[in-house]
Amino acid sequence: MIKNFVRGFGALSLALIPLLSAPAAHAAPVAEVTTLADAVGLVQVTEEDRTGYTRSSFKHWNAGDDAGDGCNTRAEVLIAEALIAPTIEAGCKLTGGTWVSYYDGQEVTSAGALDIDHMVPLAEAWDSGASAWTAKRREAYANDQGAEASLVAVTARSNRSKSDQDPADWMPPSPEAQCRYVGEWVATKLRWQLTADDRELEAMKIYAEGPCEDTIVRYTPA
């Protein structure tokens, strides 16, 4: 009886050795939380270069986070950000629903009147480091639903007014939106390890050290 117990315990111990010695699984990235001023200080500063940029370098919209729901990234963002959920019809056609475009504070009741804005525009991302990425990473960036700040549903008018400009040249027309906007811009730059140029950095510092000094930035590296 004792011999059998010892033999069984020894076998169990051997079976456990691979489990104990196996390398730990890669931990998920940890969310970073900091002040806007400190976050701005973490953004690397370099000159920007748009050489070779084309919008088609960033594949979008793809099948989204749920490839089986029949909706692309654009539609999934609209569904996620709706204050009153739209009806989802065949082919992921969205009818009804209510949204508020935070750039200009406008209430919108038609999905077709909204653009899905890349917080840091594709051209700006290219200038700031994405030109060196793989096509797969650029696609991930262009369809990023892993952070609420990355893609936002806003009025077409405000999005097209912004175009590919950074905070040195464009800010949301609604004053109430500006601190949130700067915080989300910096969070997106840090999430994707994108750089900033001198004018952009100075513009962010003005907000971080002035009206937006209490803004908190949260980001998770992609």
Side-chain angles (χ1 to χ4, degrees):
M1 173 72 75
I2 294 175
K3 288 182 179 179
N4 289 338
F5 175 79
V6 170
R7 186 181 299 115
F9 181 79
L12 177 61
S13 299
L14 290 173
L16 287 173
I17 288 174
L19 297 177
L20 296 173
S21 60
H26 293 295
V30 176
E32 304 287 344
V33 181
T34 186
T35 64
L36 178 57
D38 286 347
V40 170
L42 294 173
V43 180
Q44 183 179 350
V45 182
T46 62
E47 293 185 4
E48 295 183 350
D49 184 2
R50 194 158 296 187
T51 303
Y53 169 72
T54 61
R55 191 170 175 81
S56 61
S57 297
F58 296 80
K59 181 182 177 182
H60 68 294
W61 304 110
N62 64 18
D65 282 356
D66 183 354
D69 67 0
C71 297
N72 63 14
T73 299
R74 169 185 160 81
E76 288 182 356
V77 172
L78 287 168
I79 293 166
E81 295 194 2
L83 297 181
I84 298 176
T87 299
I88 306 170
E89 300 180 350
C92 200
K93 180 181 179 181
L94 306 182
T95 59
T98 301
W99 296 261
V100 171
S101 165
Y102 95 78
Y103 288 179
D104 50 13
Q106 297 297 305
E107 183 176 294
V108 180
T109 56
S110 170
L114 292 161
D115 282 355
I116 303 303
D117 182 38
H118 293 92
M119 173 56 59
V120 174
L122 302 181
E124 168 71 20
W126 178 274
D127 299 350
S128 307
S131 60
W133 293 351
T134 63
K136 183 176 181 181
R137 184 165 174 83
R138 286 196 290 267
E139 180 180 354
Y141 176 84
N143 297 274
D144 181 21
Q145 294 185 66
E148 292 182 3
S150 296
L151 300 171
V152 290
V154 295
T155 58
R157 180 177 181 178
S158 64
N159 183 43
R160 291 163 199 182
S161 170
K162 170 184 173 179
S163 186
D164 59 6
Q165 299 175 95
D166 67 35
D169 297 307
W170 188 90
M171 288 292 289
S174 172
E176 293 79 10
Q178 292 178 354
C179 289
R180 172 182 169 182
Y181 182 80
V182 175
E184 293 187 347
W185 179 278
V186 176
T188 304
K189 287 257 168 162
L190 292 174
R191 173 170 167 77
W192 289 93
Q193 298 89 54
L194 295 170
T195 62
D197 63 19
D198 289 330
R199 289 184 66 248
E200 178 187 349
L201 181 71
E202 288 307 310
M204 294 188 295
K205 283 183 176 179
I206 289 171
Y207 285 93
E209 296 169 3
C212 305
E213 62 180 353
D214 294 329
T215 297
I216 298 300
V217 173
R218 295 175 177 83
Y219 68 95
T220 303

